[in-house]
Amino acid sequence: MSKDHKKKGITGNVLYGNGMQNVVTGTNYAVMGTGNIYASGNNSVPPALQANLDQLRSAIEELRLTASERTYAQEQLKSVQAALSAASPDKKKAAEHLRGFTATIKEAGELATAGSAVASAIGNIAAWLGPVGVSILALL
């Protein structure tokens, strides 16, 4: 980022480094770089994780769950979303709820029949959560 960033309408603190990472806060900003770049204005989860959560929400409707199992699974995913959307994402809380979701569909006998897409989505989120997600991976 150039030193004349104020001339380009960018406000707020601007931190820039060796080109590997650019972090900008303010009202208007541009992000440049290579690799994975996440931009958040609404404390949202990274797009790939959001896609995984959306996939799991859709999958609930296809699974043969009792009404109470379905309701519980939906609540668990909402809680995962809330934990990850917080100003400071709470990975531990997200992992607890993702574990609850996964255990529910596994105990209902639906994890095996849900297909690899569901297991993959759960695995992707659990892997992103890091060490707190390991116990979820063990359920798959």
Side-chain angles (χ1 to χ4, degrees):
M1 178 138 315
S2 66
K3 291 182 180 181
D4 63 345
H5 63 273
K6 290 185 180 182
K7 294 179 186 176
K8 305 221 186 270
I10 298 172
T11 61
N13 297 323
V14 178
L15 304 172
Y16 49 93
N18 61 8
M20 297 290 286
Q21 178 181 13
N22 293 296
V23 180
V24 181
T25 60
T27 305
N28 303 304
Y29 56 88
V31 178
M32 299 173 288
T34 58
N36 296 323
I37 300 173
Y38 301 111
S40 176
N42 297 342
N43 298 326
S44 60
V45 299
L49 292 185
Q50 185 61 56
N52 286 296
L53 286 169
D54 293 343
Q55 186 176 14
L56 294 176
R57 263 192 288 280
S58 295
I60 290 175
E61 303 309 318
E62 309 282 327
L63 301 176
R64 294 181 192 174
L65 301 172
T66 65
S68 61
E69 289 168 336
R70 186 176 317 281
T71 299
Y72 182 75
Q74 290 168 332
E75 289 171 356
Q76 292 301 299
L77 287 182
K78 285 179 188 175
S79 296
V80 171
Q81 178 83 49
L84 294 178
S85 297
S88 294
D90 189 337
K91 289 185 176 185
K92 183 177 178 185
K93 203 174 259 191
E96 290 171 11
H97 294 293
L98 185 61
R99 189 178 311 105
F101 169 82
T102 306
T104 298
I105 64 172
K106 183 176 182 175
E107 289 169 14
E110 289 297 296
L111 184 57
T113 60
S116 61
V118 169
S120 178
I122 293 169
N124 289 340
I125 298 168
W128 184 85
L129 291 171
V132 296
V134 171
S135 64
I136 299 160
L137 295 172
L139 293 172
L140 299 179

